[in-house]
Amino acid sequence: MAGAETVAAAALTGKRGRVMTVVDKTMRAWSVTAPGPVEAGGLRLVDRPVPAPGEDELLVRVRACGVCRADLHVTEGELPVHRPGGVPGHVVAGDGAGCAAS
């Protein structure tokens, strides 16, 4: 994966006709740092580099994310974690923010 700095700035028209420019190098995400009861604090808000989209991929600025029960099972340690520091949620709504350079 290419570095976040390779993501070209993209002007997008957002709500109410505002123009947004995608130049952020970091993003916020809820990460499962230690599976277990949510009250134990194993779900943390972290900063991560913005990934550069690969060939045939679109970078999406996530505005809303749904978390299903399977995500909660992983977060709470009831199902195995597929990757350390995983980010729950796979149903998202957002705006196109960039694509791979051609």
Side-chain angles (χ1 to χ4, degrees):
M1 176 167 36
E5 60 278 357
T6 63
V7 176
L12 303 170
T13 303
K15 291 181 184 176
R16 301 183 187 105
R18 292 190 317 238
V19 174
M20 302 174 289
T21 303
V22 179
V23 293
D24 297 334
K25 298 222 185 312
T26 61
M27 64 181 188
R28 293 184 305 161
W30 286 100
S31 175
V32 180
T33 57
V38 173
E39 298 82 14
L43 189 61
R44 300 241 168 105
L45 186 60
V46 298
D47 288 322
R48 292 198 171 165
V50 173
E55 187 176 333
D56 295 328
E57 291 183 338
L58 174 69
L59 181 64
V60 175
R61 181 183 293 235
V62 175
R63 301 294 184 182
C65 177
V67 177
C68 71
R69 186 63 201 156
D71 291 325
L72 296 176
H73 283 303
V74 171
T75 300
E76 294 177 344
E78 298 164 0
L79 289 175
V81 176
H82 299 288
R83 287 181 287 222
V87 176
H90 56 267
V91 180
V92 301
D95 304 311
C99 58
S102 52

